[in-house]
């Protein structure tokens, strides 16, 4: 429960900040051009609001709604999600959005996106300035990767060290490594003392690659124990830090990747158990491990916990490879932050091509999926990185040419600027309804996926 609350607080704080600044972008340009803003709200307020105040001699009511699905900046004389058609029937006023030149209306509409995009770059810059950057270089991963059957059929072998994709050197180990594997025509690996070029199939899917069990590729991490938890199966048989698991139920284990896979197989068997005797039989495994203290190899039977846990913590890639650390002064942080933010945006845009696929639709996530991206403990560096990432997503999604989003309004304004003709108000209202319906459907699908994943159906 504590982890849930910590993630919820981080999520709510990040979203509140981003929504306020996004709507503040619209508000700034509206005020700059003398357009009246009737309401400025954090969250939506259908039927009632949690809080509202209107300063003396101000045209704007400020408040907090109860529905945390976004924010609201109601600009006078504009067809938006309020569907205030009565106002549009009145004579046009000089302080209304519709009375302003198209270029001013365009700036008002892109104000929110502009603020979110610049905010993300600023946050990334400040994160690099304050904490620097730390990563493991792919070239330093001397034990290479562990590959699944599909990857081996393509030509990869365990312990291959990734060198280049289409002639470009792999840099840091992050999700971009898998994007490059999915998109490249050729991959160059170091195998022993020679380099080998592997031809990649034309249709590789990043989503399938990451969702495969075992995964298409993962860093090769020996099954060496980092620590043993007290009162667990591992503690009862005398396992210690540094011991190395060699086999489970006569299945060779050369890495934690393989160990996790074999435990997953046993979990599948356990799910079909019809009695406690069946369950106990499945949880009783033969374990072969090498003792670090004595150097001997021991074979023993151990009964795993009902959750199929041995009771050890795993070593990680950080145990074996020294990370690369970069620091930036204040002025260096800005170009580095911009480069980093543009890389994040480029990766996100690249991944959108999967949304139209069946696997992509299943991978869509709602508020639960987004909230789970925040760390289970309060970590300011991770919080700001996630906030910057969400800011970039919010900026990009809002600029998509979908009616009801900022991008839909921008599209119609560009049409007006190019042709010199405004779309009719009737058309704009219908388009707003269509766009709003699309957004609601996407939101329903994304949050339904969260529920299905939580229930174990996906």
């Amino acid at each position: 429960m504590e982890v849930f609350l910590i993630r919820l607080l981080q999520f709510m704080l990040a979203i509140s900040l981003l929504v306020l600044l996004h709507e503040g972008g619209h508000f700034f340009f509206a005020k700059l051009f003398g357009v009246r803003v009737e309401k400025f709200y954090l969250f939506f307020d259908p039927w009632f609001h949690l809080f509202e105040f209107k300063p003396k001699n101000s045209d704007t009511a400020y408040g907090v709604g109860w529905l945390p699905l976004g924010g609201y900046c109601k600009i006078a004389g504009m067809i938006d999600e309020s569907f205030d058609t009565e106002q549009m029937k009145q004579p046009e006023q000089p302080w209304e959005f519709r009375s302003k030149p198209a270029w001013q209306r365009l700036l008002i509409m892109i104000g929110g996106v502009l603020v979110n995009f610049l905010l993300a770059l600023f946050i990334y810059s400040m994160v690099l300035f304050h904490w620097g950057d730390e990563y493991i270089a792919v070239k330093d991963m001397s034990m290479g990767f562990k590959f699944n059957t599909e990857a081996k059929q393509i030509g990869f072998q365990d312990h291959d060290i990734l060198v280049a994709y289409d002639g470009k050197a792999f840099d840091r180990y992050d999700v971009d490594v898998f994007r490059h594997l999915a998109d490249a025509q050729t991959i160059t690996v170091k195998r022993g003392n020679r380099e080998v070029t592997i031809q990649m199939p034309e249709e590789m899917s990043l989503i399938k690659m990451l969702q495969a069990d075992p995964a298409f590729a993962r860093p090769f991490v020996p099954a060496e124990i980092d620590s043993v938890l007290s009162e667990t199966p591992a503690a009862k048989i005398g396992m210690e830090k540094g011991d190395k698991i060699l086999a489970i139920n006569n299945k060779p284990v050369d890495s934690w990747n393989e160990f996790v896979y074999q435990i997953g197989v046993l979990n599948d068997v356990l799910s079909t158990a019809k009695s406690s005797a069946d369950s106990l039989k499945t949880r009783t495994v033969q374990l072969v491990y090498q003792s670090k203290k004595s150097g001997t190899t021991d074979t023993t039977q151990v009964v795993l916990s009902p959750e199929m846990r041995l009771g050890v913590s795993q070593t990680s890639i950080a145990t074996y490879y020294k990370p690369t650390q970069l620091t930036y002064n204040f002025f260096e942080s800005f170009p580095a932050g911009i480069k980093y933010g543009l890389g994040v945006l480029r990766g996100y845009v690249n991944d959108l091509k999967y949304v139209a696929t069946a696997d992509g639709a299943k991978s869509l996530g709602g508020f639960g999926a987004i909230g789970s991206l925040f760390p289970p403990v309060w970590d300011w560096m991770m919080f700001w990185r996630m906030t910057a990432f969400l800011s970039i997503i919010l900026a990009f999604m809002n600029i998509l040419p979908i009616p009801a989003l900022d991008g839909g309004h921008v599209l119609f304004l560009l049409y007006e600027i190019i042709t010199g003709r405004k779309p009719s108000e009737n058309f704009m209202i219908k388009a707003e309804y269509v766009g709003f319906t699309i957004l609601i459907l996407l939101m329903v699908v994304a949050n339904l996926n969260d529920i299905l994943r939580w229930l174990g159906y996906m």
Side-chain angles (χ1 to χ4, degrees), residues 169-428:
F170 282 99
D171 184 15
R172 63 179 68 205
Y173 174 66
D174 58 17
V175 71
D176 279 342
V177 168
F178 302 98
R179 290 191 180 108
H180 299 326
L181 285 171
D183 296 338
Q185 294 180 341
T186 61
I187 297 293
T188 303
V189 301
K190 184 178 180 182
R191 185 174 296 164
N193 294 321
R194 63 193 180 99
E195 288 192 352
V196 177
T197 298
I198 300 170
Q199 292 292 137
M200 298 296 288
E202 289 187 5
E203 299 205 2
M204 292 287 293
S205 168
L206 175 65
I207 294 176
K208 287 184 177 180
M209 186 181 289
L210 295 176
Q211 290 181 344
D213 186 20
F216 183 90
R218 279 290 183 267
F220 196 99
V221 179
E224 186 177 327
I225 295 170
D226 183 67
S227 62
V228 178
L229 306 179
S230 61
E231 303 298 320
T232 61
K236 291 175 182 177
I237 62 173
M239 297 186 81
E240 297 179 339
K241 175 182 174 66
D243 290 354
K244 188 178 293 185
I245 300 172
L246 303 177
I248 182 169
N249 283 352
N250 297 317
K251 302 289 185 182
V253 171
D254 59 359
S255 62
W256 282 119
N257 315 66
E258 187 64 32
F259 179 80
V260 170
Y261 174 69
Q262 294 300 335
I263 292 296
V265 172
L266 292 174
N267 253 319
D268 292 340
V269 176
L270 184 66
S271 66
T272 63
K274 297 180 179 178
S275 65
S276 57
D278 291 339
S279 173
L280 181 61
K281 182 179 178 181
T282 302
R283 292 191 292 114
T284 304
V285 300
Q286 185 186 71
L287 194 70
V288 181
Y289 68 97
Q290 185 180 54
S291 170
K292 181 180 180 180
K293 182 182 293 184
S294 65
T296 59
T297 299
D298 296 321
T299 301
T300 185
Q301 275 198 339
V302 58
V303 180
L304 302 178
S305 73
E307 297 80 23
M308 296 300 287
R309 291 174 184 163
L310 180 59
V312 298
S313 60
Q314 304 176 6
T315 49
S316 67
I317 58 174
T319 308
Y320 305 98
Y321 311 120
K322 184 179 179 180
T324 299
Q325 294 182 318
L326 301 175
T327 58
Y328 302 90
N329 64 36
F330 183 75
F331 296 104
E332 290 172 337
S333 68
F334 286 100
I338 291 170
K339 181 181 178 181
Y340 189 92
L342 292 177
V344 171
L345 175 62
R346 189 162 48 247
Y348 179 73
V349 173
N350 178 75
D351 295 346
L352 283 180
K353 65 187 177 186
Y354 297 109
V355 172
T357 67
D359 289 324
K362 291 178 182 179
S363 70
L364 287 175
F367 299 116
I370 296 172
S372 67
L373 295 176
F374 286 92
V377 294
W378 200 284
D379 183 325
W380 281 111
M381 184 183 74
M382 290 303 298
F383 168 80
W384 286 116
R385 280 185 178 272
M386 271 305 305
T387 301
F389 177 63
L390 292 178
S391 194
I392 278 185
I393 291 178
L394 188 60
F396 181 79
M397 295 301 293
N398 262 286
I399 205 62
L400 291 176
I402 299 174
L405 291 178
D406 296 342
H409 292 283
V410 168
L411 178 65
F412 296 137
L413 282 166
L414 290 175
Y415 168 81
E416 180 184 340
I417 292 172
I418 293 170
T419 65
R421 298 192 305 272
K422 279 187 180 182
S424 70
E425 290 182 2
N426 186 49
F427 170 82
M428 293 289 287

Side-chain angles (χ1 to χ4, degrees), residues 72-118:
Y72 190 39
C73 182
K74 188 176 188 307
I75 297 173
M78 175 183 165
I79 298 172
D80 60 11
E81 58 267 37
S82 69
F83 300 108
D84 187 358
T85 56
E86 290 303 315
Q87 185 183 68
M88 303 304 292
K89 294 176 182 178
Q90 305 302 317
E92 189 174 294
Q93 301 297 324
W95 37 261
E96 287 186 330
F97 177 83
R98 56 180 167 170
S99 71
K100 301 300 178 180
W103 68 271
Q104 292 185 4
R105 285 181 279 135
L106 181 63
L107 285 174
I108 292 171
M109 290 317 307
I110 66 172
V113 169
L114 183 63
V115 166
N116 281 133
F117 183 66
L118 294 178

